[in-house]
Amino acid sequence: MAMLPLAMACSNSTSADDIEEELTEEEPNGLAVRIVNTGDSKMEIESGGSTVTYFCYEDECEDDTGYFSYTEVNAGAEMMFDTSSPEKVVVGVYVGFEVTRGSGHFEIVSGVSYRDDDGWAEFEEVDVLYTSGTIGSGDTVGYTYGSMD
């Protein structure tokens, strides 16, 4: 009987709620660009040349000019278009792309950027920092959020 109080005092009192709270209390360290299709047909996004999306970090800006990208977002859906690197401290983002079909908007999202156990970059959303106006077929986006120095 004398061991019973000692055993009770040593039990692990961490619940699943406590673990979830620890995971979601991390400070946002990243930015992401999310495309939201608000139309009733597929939304198509192209980027390349001067219309690219890139992030700036404390020590440098990524400049991915010259590559070409094509993305589709189904009607009523959303997708993370691009996220900042988990290994660097992000200070800003330049959003550049052309809408070739459909309509919707884009958002700048803050969150926790990290690598999973397999090394893949992951992003947990914390807050929407900016929402664009409606953009549609033929519109070219060129928007800067944060510091690009």
Side-chain angles (χ1 to χ4, degrees), residues 100-122:
T100 57
R101 179 179 173 194
S103 64
H105 66 265
F106 72 92
E107 299 170 337
I108 307 294
V109 181
S110 71
V112 179
S113 186
Y114 63 96
R115 294 218 177 263
D116 67 12
D117 293 339
D118 295 324
W120 294 99
E122 298 287 339

Side-chain angles (χ1 to χ4, degrees), residues 81-114:
F81 183 62
D82 205 354
T83 60
S84 62
S85 174
E87 290 81 18
K88 301 176 182 178
V89 177
V90 67
V91 295
V93 59
Y94 176 79
V95 181
F97 60 82
E98 181 180 352
V99 180
T100 57
R101 179 179 173 194
S103 64
H105 66 265
F106 72 92
E107 299 170 337
I108 307 294
V109 181
S110 71
V112 179
S113 186
Y114 63 96

Side-chain angles (χ1 to χ4, degrees), residues 116-135:
D116 67 12
D117 293 339
D118 295 324
W120 294 99
E122 298 287 339
F123 188 85
E124 288 290 326
E125 176 184 341
V126 172
D127 194 19
V128 176
L129 303 173
Y130 172 80
T131 301
S132 74
T134 300
I135 50 178

Side-chain angles (χ1 to χ4, degrees), residues 13-126:
S13 63
T14 303
S15 70
D17 290 337
D18 293 337
I19 293 169
E20 179 67 24
E21 186 174 320
E22 286 176 24
L23 293 175
T24 58
E25 285 184 359
E26 289 191 49
E27 289 294 316
N29 64 348
L31 292 175
V33 178
R34 177 171 42 213
I35 306 291
V36 180
N37 182 340
T38 57
D40 55 4
S41 66
K42 190 177 292 183
M43 185 176 181
E44 297 175 357
I45 304 293
E46 290 183 8
S47 59
S50 63
T51 56
V52 295
T53 297
Y54 62 93
F55 295 91
C56 284
Y57 301 95
E58 287 183 322
D59 56 346
E60 67 179 337
C61 286
E62 294 177 346
D63 188 359
D64 295 329
T65 57
Y67 82 94
F68 177 79
S69 175
Y70 172 83
T71 302
E72 293 180 349
V73 183
N74 290 327
E78 60 186 43
M79 69 167 289
M80 287 297 185
F81 183 62
D82 205 354
T83 60
S84 62
S85 174
E87 290 81 18
K88 301 176 182 178
V89 177
V90 67
V91 295
V93 59
Y94 176 79
V95 181
F97 60 82
E98 181 180 352
V99 180
T100 57
R101 179 179 173 194
S103 64
H105 66 265
F106 72 92
E107 299 170 337
I108 307 294
V109 181
S110 71
V112 179
S113 186
Y114 63 96
R115 294 218 177 263
D116 67 12
D117 293 339
D118 295 324
W120 294 99
E122 298 287 339
F123 188 85
E124 288 290 326
E125 176 184 341
V126 172

